[in-house]
Structure formats: C-alpha cells, structure tokens
C-alpha cells in the first residue's frame, strides 16, 4: 500500500454524510469499503468507484450480514485503518409515547446494535494488528436532547457511553471516539428539521472539512468526545 493511502470502512455509504465522505476519501486517494441497504445505490457506487473500492448491500442491524461482509472483505483488503460507524436512522418526529414498539426497536437495532455488530466482526482483526481508529457517529443529540426525537437521542447518548467504554478496552495505540458531525442538510435532517434543513451546509461541503479532520484522529484522542469543526 502506498504511503499515506488508508483503507476506510464506512457504513451507510449510499446517502448523506456517508456518501459525501466516500467521494472525498476516494478523491484524496484512499480506499473505501462501504455498505448500505439500497441495492441500486450500491451498484451505482461500485460502478462509479471500481476496485479496489468495494461496496456491499449490508443491513448493519443483521449480525449475520455484517459477519458475511467482514469475512468477504477482510482477506483481500486487510483491516480497516479507519472504521466509520455512520449508518443510522431517526424516528419520525413524535412524542415518545406516540412511537410504536416496532419503530422504537428499529431505531435501537440500527443505531446501537448495528454499531456493535460492525465492531464485533471488524475490530478483532484491528486489535490483532494493534492499530486503527474507530469513529462512532453520535450527534448534538448525543450530548443534549430535544422533544420528539427521544428514541434517536437515546441511541446517540448510547454511542457516547459505548464508545468511551470501548476506548478503555482497546490496546495501546488504538483509538475509539464518539463524533458529533455537526448539523448538515441530509435526508435525516430533512426528516427532523422539517422546513429548516436547507439553512445548513450540504454534505459535500461538510465532507471537505470532516474528512481531513477524520484522517488526523489518532491514539492521543482515544475516548475523547470529538466534534467536526463546522461553523
Ligand atoms: N445530518 C445531520 O445533521 C446529522 C447530525 C448529527 C448526527 N448525524 C449522524 O450522522 C450519521 C449520518 O447521518 P445522515 O444525515 O447522513 O443520514 P441519512 O442521510 O439518513 O443517511 C443514512 C445512511 O445510513 C444508511 N443506513 C440506514 N440504515 C442502515 C442499515 N440498517 N444498514 C446499513 N446502512 C443503513 C442509509 O443507506 P440505505 O438507506 O441505503 O441503507 C444511508 O446511507 C448518522 O449516524 C446520524 O445520526 C447526522
């Protein structure tokens, strides 16, 4: 591998921040291993960014699908240098008692269990190598709260705790951080900031700041609550 060229694993690469990061990392010469649920978007990404980049249809809430993904991509690509647990869902805006059990479970399954599934199947190889950075996407709503997004807030507060505990478990030299990306105009923001999302930066503008910031995270940051330095 050429000096400085890194292998970046991104969950939720098909839209929003994951898509914008994918494009920016590849533009800078790095290799991206990405996933998402949408078959059409994954096929389009693979066509636009051929091998050695690798895109897979994976639902991170399925431990079996994540296990199969890791089994397929780790041997040819090696351990990711940077693992970005970016994929997440938000509940539709509603009071906690108005949100059905199925929707509540789905948000937990993707936002918490999905992150644990990816860690379970990719981090052992990173630990064996004794190197690598794990970034779990949190939110401003992982450090504060608002009405009508209680399930989402619960998962993002969970990211903060899960990641700080993980940071205490990793061997010296490795890094895990929860990251607040800022507020960015994506499908997710349009769902919860109805009408107000367009006041915020587009994902591709955000990625120009976020990607260099992500590439600088190192073991001195282990366990720190980081935020992308946007506006
Ligand atoms: N946008 C913001 O202002 C903001 C603020 C704070 C935090 N965040 C966090 O930043 C991250 C990205 O958010 P975003 O705004 O880019 O969201 P988004 O536009 O809704 O995109 C979410 C991405 O996750 C993927 N995804 C969802 N469920 C998945 C699953 N079960 N398995 C695999 N992939 C899945 C989606 O792809 P498919 O539909 O193809 O699966 C999509 O690529 C999230 O963790 C979010 O909580 C965003």
């Amino acid at each position: 591998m050429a000096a400085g060229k890194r292998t970046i694993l991104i969950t939720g690469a098909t839209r929003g921040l994951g898509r914008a990061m994918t494009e920016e990392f590849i533009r800078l010469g790095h290799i991206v291993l990405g996933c998402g649920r949408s078959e059409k978007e994954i096929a389009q990404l693979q066509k636009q960014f051929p091998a050695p980049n690798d895109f897979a249809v994976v639902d991170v809430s399925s431990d079996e699908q994540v296990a199969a993904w890791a089994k397929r991509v780790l041997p040819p690509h090696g351990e990711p240098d940077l693992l970005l647990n970016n994929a997440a869902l938000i509940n539709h805006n509603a009071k906690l008692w108005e949100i059905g059990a199925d929707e509540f479970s789905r948000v937990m399954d993707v936002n918490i269990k999905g992150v644990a599934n990816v860690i379970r199947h990719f981090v052992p190889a990173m630990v064996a190598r004794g190197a690598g950075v794990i970034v779990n996407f949190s939110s401003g709503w992982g450090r504060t709260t608002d009405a009508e997004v209680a399930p989402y807030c619960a998962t993002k507060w969970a990211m903060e705790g899960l990641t700080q505990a993980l940071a205490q478990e990793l061997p010296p030299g490795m890094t895990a951080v929860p990251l607040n990306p800022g507020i960015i105009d994506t499908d997710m923001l349009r769902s919860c900031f109805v009408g107000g999302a367009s006041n915020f930066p587009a994902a591709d503008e955000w990625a120009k700041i976020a990607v260099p910031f992500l590439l600088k995270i190192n073991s001195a940051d282990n366990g720190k609550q980081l935020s992308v330095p946007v506006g």
Side-chain angles (χ1 to χ4, degrees), residues 47-62:
K47 193 169 168 203
Q48 186 178 355
F49 303 113
N53 303 293
D54 188 306
F55 298 94
V57 177
V58 177
D59 180 338
V60 294
S61 69
S62 160

Side-chain angles (χ1 to χ4, degrees), residues 156-176:
K156 294 302 178 177
W157 281 72
M159 276 309 97
E160 300 282 333
L162 176 150
T163 310
Q164 288 177 68
L166 172 67
Q168 294 173 292
E169 297 166 350
L170 292 173
M174 286 190 68
T175 313

Side-chain angles (χ1 to χ4, degrees), residues 11-18 35-38 58-61 85-89 106 110 137-140 152 156 180-189:
T11 66
T14 52
R15 289 184 282 115
L17 306 189
C35 84
R37 293 164 305 172
S38 154
V58 177
D59 180 338
V60 294
S61 69
N85 268 311
N86 163 77
L89 298 179
R106 189 73 192 137
V110 176
F137 275 60
S138 177
S139 171
Y152 178 81
K156 294 302 178 177
N180 171 11
I183 306 179
I184 311 95
D185 183 7
T186 63
D187 291 348
M188 182 180 285
L189 196 74

